[in-house]
Amino acid sequence: MLSGAGVSAESGVPTFRGGGNTAVWKGMRFDVISSAEMVERDLPAVWEWFDYRRNFLHELMPNPAHYEIARWQDRFAEFTLVTQNIDGLHQKAGARDVIELHGNIWRARCIACGFTHDMAQSKRPDACLECGDRLRPDVVLFGEMLPPGAFEFAAARASKCELCFVVGTSALVYPAAGLPEIAKAAGAYVVEVNPERTPLSSLCDEVLTGKAGEVLPLFNNENSLL
Ligand code: APR
């Protein structure tokens, strides 16, 4: 399964593009404030934006889509959950071994030694507790590469899966959006769940038009197909 911001929309997390309201911070588009260039130019401003988002997210809970997805990991011999989301709501709903292609907002990473600091239970340290250098959000910012190995592992699983679900993504951001294409090319049955059509819809074997929190729980009954 590949998930995107749409899975968290019903939890109150704004999406970046389609459907929900697009995030703008102090007049700056999200792809400006969330960029590698901004970390170089004004790291305090980047933290101000991520601190705001973390505080906003802190109050939010997973929705029925997250809980259903967490259930699927015990339903299949092999279930791989790949997310573009940094909000940690999949894990909060009980999902394990989530492949976070774009990092996680609840972690800070040292710019010098790469040591990561968990901020889920504790406040953000002023500097790296290992080497004292500056910290930045452990999130993939615009203009940056994905965490080493994450995409390669996800692509390997996509190339071997029989069933591929694509839930709540506009399928505009690569390389993540390439995963369902890899699954399809390898013969998987591809299903999209989204209230809107995406560039991926025509490639899918099935398009379930609707909200993830309403559609996915339909699979949670004894007479569901799955
Ligand atoms: N259920 C399912 N899908 C939904 C819902 C919902 N309740 N509400 C909205 N959507 C769909 C929208 O129709 C849209 O296609 O979710 C998608 C959200 O698209 P984006 O905002 O583009 O989010 P995403 O695809 O995850 O973005 C990818 O872009 O900005 C970067 O790094 C950021 O991870 C993000 C990446």
Side-chain angles (χ1 to χ4, degrees), residues 4-6 10 15-17 30 84 102 142 168-170 173 194-195 212:
E10 291 154 86
T15 59
F16 298 91
R17 299 169 189 85
F30 65 85
Q84 298 166 87
H102 297 159
F142 283 87
T169 181
S170 57
V173 175
N194 196 314

Side-chain angles (χ1 to χ4, degrees), residues 36-213:
E37 193 253 335
M38 190 61 86
V39 165
E40 290 307 314
R41 191 148 50 90
D42 189 349
L43 182 55
V46 173
W47 270 125
E48 209 190 335
W49 158 237
F50 278 91
D51 289 347
Y52 161 78
R53 292 175 73 188
R54 257 196 348 276
N55 295 336
F56 176 82
L57 281 173
H58 195 267
E59 310 309 313
L60 303 184
M61 293 303 290
N63 67 63
H66 295 109
Y67 290 111
E68 184 56 27
I69 293 167
R71 264 191 288 273
W72 288 16
Q73 61 197 349
D74 301 320
R75 240 183 151 148
F76 293 91
E78 186 180 284
F79 177 74
T80 306
L81 174 57
V82 182
T83 190
Q84 298 166 87
N85 301 347
I86 63 173
D87 56 33
L89 289 175
H90 279 302
Q91 294 91 330
K92 211 170 181 177
R96 304 183 300 268
D97 311 324
V98 180
I99 301 172
E100 298 174 309
L101 286 181
H102 297 159
N104 187 304
I105 200 168
W106 299 102
R107 287 194 307 266
R109 188 173 80 236
C110 177
I111 289 178
C113 73
F115 188 79
T116 56
H117 302 259
D118 178 28
M119 296 185 287
Q121 313 306 335
S122 53
K123 79 171 195 56
R124 172 162 64 87
D126 298 334
C128 177
L129 303 175
E130 284 290 301
C131 75
D133 206 310
R134 294 167 306 150
L135 294 175
R136 51 152 293 158
D138 189 23
V139 166
V140 176
L141 301 172
F142 283 87
E144 293 187 324
M145 304 292 287
L146 271 57
F151 180 77
E152 293 71 15
F153 180 81
R157 285 292 177 92
S159 66
K160 288 210 321 288
C161 73
E162 295 160 283
L163 178 60
C164 171
F165 264 71
V166 189
V167 185
T169 181
S170 57
L172 294 171
V173 175
Y174 282 74
L179 291 169
E181 296 166 353
I182 292 170
K184 182 69 183 171
Y189 189 82
V190 182
V191 180
E192 182 178 55
V193 180
N194 196 314
E196 295 175 10
R197 286 191 71 77
T198 73
L200 206 61
S201 304
S202 52
L203 172 143
C204 293
D205 297 283
E206 213 165 321
V207 174
L208 304 178
T209 305
K211 296 182 172 182

